[in-house]
Amino acid sequence: MAKQGYHHGNLRQALVEATLDLIAERGPQGFTMAEAAKLAGVSPAAPYRHFPGREALIAEAARQGYEIFVTRMEAAFDGGQPNPLAAFMATGRAYLEFARSNAGHYVAMFESGLSVNDSPELADAAGRAQAILIRSAEALSAHLPPDRRPPAAMFAAHVWAMSHGVVELFARGNPGARAPFPPEELLESGIAVYLRGLGLIPPDS
């Protein structure tokens, strides 16, 4: 059903919201510009006033997703409070919740084949999201001597990959219904095993 009542000047955002709905329902390759226009309640030619093609629409959906993602990850990290380990684990939970509650954004960001370097704005938003994880990793490893401290960017990337794997296999869609354990438990136990292996947390944490 076509969306109704967008106001003059909001066509760009109406198209992005239609795109998010279509991505969540059909995937990033499962719709056309004309279908996005129809869902937004405008003519097939209208999207081209703002976007040169479907990829640009998806890129804007991804950029907006990264902005939401950054806000939620910052809130979860909370400046490293109440302690670095709790803050690090909180960012993992925030990742799972974002994937659940913003399916269209998540797919546009991570499953559309989009390069974050497609635009400076997208690259900036993605970089800020990555920086939060790196700051969290730095806080967690700060107590180790420099010569025993693993590169924060490396283990932040490993945990990001682990989070993505849990999302894909167990946290959304039909595979999520077959999860052997709650996704949060899978992720947190996996992160704990990994961090112990790096010597970042003691065995009994």
Side-chain angles (χ1 to χ4, degrees), residues 144-186:
L144 293 178
D147 61 338
R148 292 181 48 215
R149 195 177 301 161
M154 179 196 72
F155 77 82
H158 287 171
V159 170
W160 191 324
M162 191 185 307
S163 303
H164 187 74
V166 170
V167 166
E168 290 303 302
L169 290 173
F170 304 119
R172 65 185 181 88
N174 290 332
R178 298 193 295 271
F181 303 97
E184 288 80 6
E185 183 178 330
L186 282 171

Side-chain angles (χ1 to χ4, degrees), residues 37-83:
K38 182 178 180 180
L39 188 58
V42 298
S43 72
Y48 295 97
R49 301 173 194 168
H50 298 279
F51 301 98
R54 184 183 63 182
E55 289 72 21
L57 254 175
I58 294 172
E60 176 59 16
R63 186 198 67 77
Q64 293 186 17
Y66 273 113
E67 294 292 350
I68 298 168
F69 186 59
V70 166
T71 298
R72 294 191 185 178
M73 294 292 277
E74 285 279 16
F77 179 53
D78 193 24
Q81 298 302 317
N83 60 69

